[in-house]
Structures are given as C-alpha cells and as structure tokens.
Amino acid sequence: MTTTGAPKGTRIDAHHHTWELARRPQGWLDPPPMAPVRRDFTLDDYASTAAEADIGRSVLVQVLADAQETREFLALAARSQTVAGVVGWADLTRPGLPGELAELAASPGGDLLRGIRHLVQGEDDPRWLARDDVRGGLREVAAAGLTYDLLVAPHQLPAAIETVRALPELSFVLDHLAKPPVASGRLEPWAGLIRELAAEQNVTAKISGLITEADWHDWDAARLRPYVDVALEAFGPSRLMFGSDWPVCLLAGSLPDWAETALALLTDAGVPAAERDEIFRGTATRVYRLG
C-alpha cells in the first residue's frame, strides 16, 4: 500500500476502501460479476479520483474480518494526508475484546481509529446483533469511545433497531442506508424500518452504496430519489453523511459521477446549501471526530 498527498477538496468521503490482492486476498471478489474491481486499489488511486469529486478527507473502512487488516489500515492512515479516520474490525464476541481494542489504539496510527464494523450482512442469523455476546462486545466498543458501523440488509433491520435502543451509550452509523431494494423499486418494508431506526437519536446514516443496489447498467437519479427522500425525512441532514463506497461503486459508476448525483438529489429535494454541507462534511466530522 502506498501513501499519498491530500486531495485539494472541501468534502469528506465517510466511506471508502482500499486493497492489494497479493497482500490480502479478497475471496468475495471471485464471482464473475465482481471482475471489474478484482484488482489492486491503493490510496494513490483513490486520491486522484477523490480530487475530481472535491473530496479532501476520508474515512477508510474495513473490508475483511481480520484484525491485521485493521492494523495495516491504521499504519497506512498514519502516513496519509487523505485518511482522517479508520473504521476497523474486531471480534465482538471475543472475551479479550477490551485488550484488543486497546492494542489497536496503541498501534501505529491507532489514534486514527474511530470505529468498529462487522459484516453483519453476511451472517445467516438475522438476529445476530441481538445475541448476548455481540451486545457485550458492542458495550466494550462504546466504553472505548468508538462508534459502531451497522452493515445490515433490510431483513436485519429489526434486530438493528432493538440493538440501537438497547445501547443508547453507543453511537451507531448505518452504512449504505441498509442496502434498500433500489433495483426492484420497492420501498416497503425498508422505508418503515428506516423511519423506526431513525427515531433513535444515537444513530446516523450514510448516503452511500445506492448505485450498486440499483441495476448497475441502468440507473439514474430518478430511481434513487425515493430512497434518498426517505433518508432525508427520517434522519434529517444533520444525521446524514456522504460516502462513496469506492472502489465498489465502480461496478455501477465513478466516484465523481456518484458524488454529483448525490448533490443533485439533495439540491432537487430542496436541501439548503448549509444543510448539504452537513451531509458532505459536517456530520462525518462530528460523528467520527475528524479533527
């Protein structure tokens, strides 16, 4: 992995990734549809495309359930002028979790650790988040002063809602608006569950990952608008943040194209400039404590 200078931009990208396949294989990229992103993506690659989208700082988010990847990301962030925070991975069910979190915080770049995430979307149990051992781990995440990124599919939202209510001391961030069924055009039951989740004040959400929930080859702003409108109504601009989900977004479109689509959707929805700035900068700065 390489280091890079900071893009000259004003926006914050609250969600992107990086990987080098020889260093850390990515088995989830093996299916044929993933071929367009089955190659290395470094921070230098990210910096060049982020600059085109007026992005100056970012949050680097874990890809694998691997604590060593998190250590590598923290070290990478420490050498980068782009990455302002890291959301890593730790085993929430491990009895030694407090020690593991402390070790991550003490490692090179550990002062940039801002949150923890687990790939809950891949768990077979739709109520995985409601397990006692998982809830215990989430309490340790809160005690460490970290946020928790919720990566869930719509059918896992009921357990996510219960968990957010049960842990008011923890700041949750919902990734990709819980992956709504954009390709089908359906809103329910996703929309109702999003409104229920947003009623809890300890959760914010990322407008991210939507174009890859649409038809990758046939999407436009009009198809995304109903889902962004639900998010705006439910969370409000002060609890929403923009994320690119680069390089996964490349399956459906470029980072600059997605950023400009997001801006157009917010503008067309009548979101004032100051509130758009919250989504493109303020919320992420506050929630992830990006100095």
Side-chain angles (χ1 to χ4, degrees):
M1 294 183 180
T2 56
T3 59
T4 181
K8 307 295 185 182
T10 61
R11 296 170 175 169
I12 292 175
D13 179 356
H15 196 107
H16 77 93
H17 310 288
T18 184
W19 55 74
E20 291 185 23
L21 301 183
R23 178 186 296 268
R24 201 160 295 284
Q26 308 280 334
W28 63 283
L29 295 178
D30 290 344
M34 305 303 290
V37 293
R38 196 184 304 128
R39 62 176 178 85
D40 292 350
F41 290 93
T42 69
L43 276 188
D44 282 337
D45 299 324
Y46 175 75
S48 61
T49 192
E52 296 177 39
D54 193 29
I55 291 167
R57 293 188 295 165
S58 69
V59 177
L60 177 59
V61 179
Q62 63 88 221
V63 183
L64 301 175
D66 187 332
Q68 184 57 34
E69 179 199 64
T70 297
R71 294 185 185 94
E72 291 176 3
F73 279 8
L74 290 170
L76 179 64
R79 302 190 302 270
S80 168
Q81 297 179 52
T82 306
V83 179
V86 172
V87 174
W89 180 86
D91 186 350
L92 296 177
T93 67
R94 181 184 173 190
L97 178 61
E100 182 176 343
L101 295 177
E103 289 175 6
L104 288 174
S107 65
D111 59 321
L112 294 173
L113 184 65
R114 292 294 181 264
I116 296 296
R117 185 177 84 150
H118 179 71
L119 305 176
V120 179
Q121 66 174 7
E123 294 290 343
D124 292 332
D125 181 2
R127 294 189 54 76
W128 186 86
L129 283 164
R131 284 171 35 174
D132 289 343
D133 55 352
V134 173
R135 295 270 181 93
L138 291 172
R139 291 187 181 92
E140 297 297 345
V141 171
L146 301 171
T147 64
Y148 182 75
D149 268 42
L150 283 166
L151 178 61
V152 295
H155 73 282
Q156 297 165 321
L157 276 170
I161 292 165
E162 293 176 24
T163 301
V164 168
R165 286 173 178 164
L167 298 166
E169 70 273 25
L170 179 56
S171 174
F172 290 88
V173 181
L174 179 66
D175 290 348
H176 313 326
L177 296 182
K179 305 173 81 74
V182 181
S184 73
R186 296 193 309 272
L187 279 176
E188 299 297 345
W190 169 84
L193 291 167
I194 286 293
R195 294 185 181 101
E196 192 174 352
L197 178 67
E200 306 306 315
Q201 295 302 304
N202 58 324
V203 59
T204 53
K206 296 177 185 178
I207 299 178
S208 61
L210 296 184
I211 61 175
T212 47
E213 295 305 316
D215 183 324
W216 294 353
H217 307 292
D218 183 25
W219 65 270
D220 56 22
R223 290 177 172 88
L224 305 179
R225 182 170 292 113
Y227 304 94
V228 172
D229 286 349
V230 168
L232 284 168
E233 172 201 341
F235 287 99
S238 66
R239 293 170 60 206
L240 289 172
M241 60 187 88
F242 168 81
S244 70
D245 199 26
W246 182 94
V248 182
C249 69
L250 299 178
L251 294 166
S254 72
L255 192 166
D257 284 348
W258 162 233
E260 291 313 300
T261 298
L263 177 61
L265 286 166
L266 298 173
T267 303
D268 292 348
V271 180
E275 294 184 348
R276 295 198 301 268
D277 187 62
E278 283 292 291
I279 294 171
F280 277 101
R281 181 170 55 187
T283 305
T285 299
R286 184 177 65 257
V287 172
Y288 285 125
R289 298 170 287 110
L290 306 179

